[in-house]
Amino acid sequence: MYIDADTIIKAAALLGALTALVGAIIAIYKVYDSNKRQSDAIKAIQEEQTLICYGLRGALQGLIEKGCDGPCKDALNLLDKHLNKEAHHPDL
């Protein structure tokens, strides 16, 4: 079998196309993996924020029961409204 310039050019074109295809597949996988890791991180942050909100709510309620009025009651009312709104907010 004789290998001439045309055969080499075709082989190089095929190799270039395969390389581009594999590169595109790897890039798509990296984007998918990155999005998955970000989604997992966001879920963890949301769980942590939920715990912080309920802890804050408990602390404010305790302060109100001990006789602290004014800003504590306002903050508790605002926090309750926020938690209620988010509880009934559809997931995006």
mmCIF file of all heavy atoms in Angstrom, residues 48-58 79 82-83:
data_model
loop_
_atom_site.group_PDB
_atom_site.id
_atom_site.type_symbol
_atom_site.label_atom_id
_atom_site.label_comp_id
_atom_site.label_asym_id
_atom_site.label_seq_id
_atom_site.Cartn_x
_atom_site.Cartn_y
_atom_site.Cartn_z
ATOM 1 N N GLU A 48 -28.338 24.800 55.882
ATOM 2 C CA GLU A 48 -27.680 25.532 56.958
ATOM 3 C C GLU A 48 -28.446 26.812 57.282
ATOM 4 O O GLU A 48 -28.647 27.157 58.452
ATOM 5 C CB GLU A 48 -26.251 25.863 56.550
ATOM 6 C CG GLU A 48 -25.463 26.600 57.606
ATOM 7 C CD GLU A 48 -24.049 26.918 57.166
ATOM 8 O OE1 GLU A 48 -23.671 26.595 56.029
ATOM 9 O OE2 GLU A 48 -23.328 27.508 57.979
ATOM 10 N N GLN A 49 -28.904 27.523 56.259
ATOM 11 C CA GLN A 49 -29.655 28.749 56.486
ATOM 12 C C GLN A 49 -30.986 28.464 57.179
ATOM 13 O O GLN A 49 -31.439 29.259 58.007
ATOM 14 C CB GLN A 49 -29.893 29.485 55.171
ATOM 15 C CG GLN A 49 -28.660 30.169 54.647
ATOM 16 C CD GLN A 49 -28.917 30.902 53.342
ATOM 17 O OE1 GLN A 49 -29.855 30.607 52.617
ATOM 18 N NE2 GLN A 49 -28.054 31.855 53.037
ATOM 19 N N THR A 50 -31.602 27.341 56.859
ATOM 20 C CA THR A 50 -32.844 26.965 57.521
ATOM 21 C C THR A 50 -32.602 26.764 59.010
ATOM 22 O O THR A 50 -33.368 27.263 59.852
ATOM 23 C CB THR A 50 -33.424 25.676 56.900
ATOM 24 O OG1 THR A 50 -33.698 25.925 55.516
ATOM 25 C CG2 THR A 50 -34.695 25.240 57.592
ATOM 26 N N LEU A 51 -31.534 26.056 59.351
ATOM 27 C CA LEU A 51 -31.197 25.847 60.762
ATOM 28 C C LEU A 51 -30.907 27.167 61.467
ATOM 29 O O LEU A 51 -31.342 27.387 62.604
ATOM 30 C CB LEU A 51 -30.004 24.910 60.886
ATOM 31 C CG LEU A 51 -30.248 23.450 60.519
ATOM 32 C CD1 LEU A 51 -28.935 22.684 60.542
ATOM 33 C CD2 LEU A 51 -31.249 22.824 61.467
ATOM 34 N N ILE A 52 -30.184 28.052 60.792
ATOM 35 C CA ILE A 52 -29.865 29.353 61.383
ATOM 36 C C ILE A 52 -31.138 30.163 61.613
ATOM 37 O O ILE A 52 -31.308 30.789 62.667
ATOM 38 C CB ILE A 52 -28.862 30.113 60.488
ATOM 39 C CG1 ILE A 52 -27.500 29.431 60.542
ATOM 40 C CG2 ILE A 52 -28.748 31.576 60.916
ATOM 41 C CD1 ILE A 52 -26.505 29.956 59.519
ATOM 42 N N CYS A 53 -32.056 30.135 60.660
ATOM 43 C CA CYS A 53 -33.314 30.881 60.811
ATOM 44 C C CYS A 53 -34.128 30.353 61.986
ATOM 45 O O CYS A 53 -34.662 31.140 62.777
ATOM 46 C CB CYS A 53 -34.141 30.816 59.524
ATOM 47 S SG CYS A 53 -33.534 31.903 58.231
ATOM 48 N N TYR A 54 -34.230 29.055 62.107
ATOM 49 C CA TYR A 54 -35.006 28.506 63.220
ATOM 50 C C TYR A 54 -34.308 28.741 64.558
ATOM 51 O O TYR A 54 -34.971 28.970 65.573
ATOM 52 C CB TYR A 54 -35.315 27.028 62.994
ATOM 53 C CG TYR A 54 -36.404 26.853 61.963
ATOM 54 C CD1 TYR A 54 -36.152 26.235 60.749
ATOM 55 C CD2 TYR A 54 -37.688 27.342 62.190
ATOM 56 C CE1 TYR A 54 -37.145 26.100 59.798
ATOM 57 C CE2 TYR A 54 -38.679 27.210 61.248
ATOM 58 C CZ TYR A 54 -38.405 26.590 60.047
ATOM 59 O OH TYR A 54 -39.388 26.462 59.105
ATOM 60 N N GLY A 55 -32.992 28.722 64.572
ATOM 61 C CA GLY A 55 -32.264 29.054 65.802
ATOM 62 C C GLY A 55 -32.472 30.511 66.188
ATOM 63 O O GLY A 55 -32.692 30.844 67.358
ATOM 64 N N LEU A 56 -32.413 31.391 65.199
ATOM 65 C CA LEU A 56 -32.654 32.813 65.436
ATOM 66 C C LEU A 56 -34.073 33.049 65.917
ATOM 67 O O LEU A 56 -34.310 33.830 66.836
ATOM 68 C CB LEU A 56 -32.385 33.615 64.165
ATOM 69 C CG LEU A 56 -32.657 35.113 64.224
ATOM 70 C CD1 LEU A 56 -31.758 35.769 65.261
ATOM 71 C CD2 LEU A 56 -32.443 35.738 62.856
ATOM 72 N N ARG A 57 -35.010 32.335 65.323
ATOM 73 C CA ARG A 57 -36.402 32.471 65.738
ATOM 74 C C ARG A 57 -36.565 32.044 67.199
ATOM 75 O O ARG A 57 -37.246 32.705 67.985
ATOM 76 C CB ARG A 57 -37.320 31.630 64.857
ATOM 77 C CG ARG A 57 -38.778 31.902 65.132
ATOM 78 C CD ARG A 57 -39.691 30.963 64.375
ATOM 79 N NE ARG A 57 -41.069 31.308 64.620
ATOM 80 C CZ ARG A 57 -41.702 31.146 65.764
ATOM 81 N NH1 ARG A 57 -41.081 30.646 66.805
ATOM 82 N NH2 ARG A 57 -42.961 31.490 65.896
ATOM 83 N N GLY A 58 -35.922 30.951 67.566
ATOM 84 C CA GLY A 58 -35.995 30.490 68.950
ATOM 85 C C GLY A 58 -35.367 31.484 69.914
ATOM 86 O O GLY A 58 -35.898 31.742 71.004
ATOM 87 N N LEU A 79 -39.325 37.793 60.578
ATOM 88 C CA LEU A 79 -38.779 36.464 60.321
ATOM 89 C C LEU A 79 -39.892 35.445 60.087
ATOM 90 O O LEU A 79 -39.812 34.623 59.177
ATOM 91 C CB LEU A 79 -37.881 36.019 61.479
ATOM 92 C CG LEU A 79 -37.158 34.683 61.314
ATOM 93 C CD1 LEU A 79 -36.252 34.709 60.087
ATOM 94 C CD2 LEU A 79 -36.362 34.362 62.558
ATOM 95 N N HIS A 82 -41.281 35.993 56.659
ATOM 96 C CA HIS A 82 -40.344 35.484 55.649
ATOM 97 C C HIS A 82 -40.393 33.956 55.575
ATOM 98 O O HIS A 82 -40.465 33.381 54.485
ATOM 99 C CB HIS A 82 -38.922 35.943 55.972
ATOM 100 C CG HIS A 82 -37.886 35.277 55.126
ATOM 101 N ND1 HIS A 82 -37.681 35.589 53.806
ATOM 102 C CD2 HIS A 82 -37.006 34.282 55.412
ATOM 103 C CE1 HIS A 82 -36.726 34.826 53.321
ATOM 104 N NE2 HIS A 82 -36.293 34.022 54.268
ATOM 105 N N LEU A 83 -40.355 33.302 56.735
ATOM 106 C CA LEU A 83 -40.380 31.834 56.749
ATOM 107 C C LEU A 83 -41.675 31.302 56.176
ATOM 108 O O LEU A 83 -41.689 30.313 55.434
ATOM 109 C CB LEU A 83 -40.156 31.307 58.169
ATOM 110 C CG LEU A 83 -38.766 31.537 58.756
ATOM 111 C CD1 LEU A 83 -38.729 31.097 60.212
ATOM 112 C CD2 LEU A 83 -37.706 30.830 57.951
#
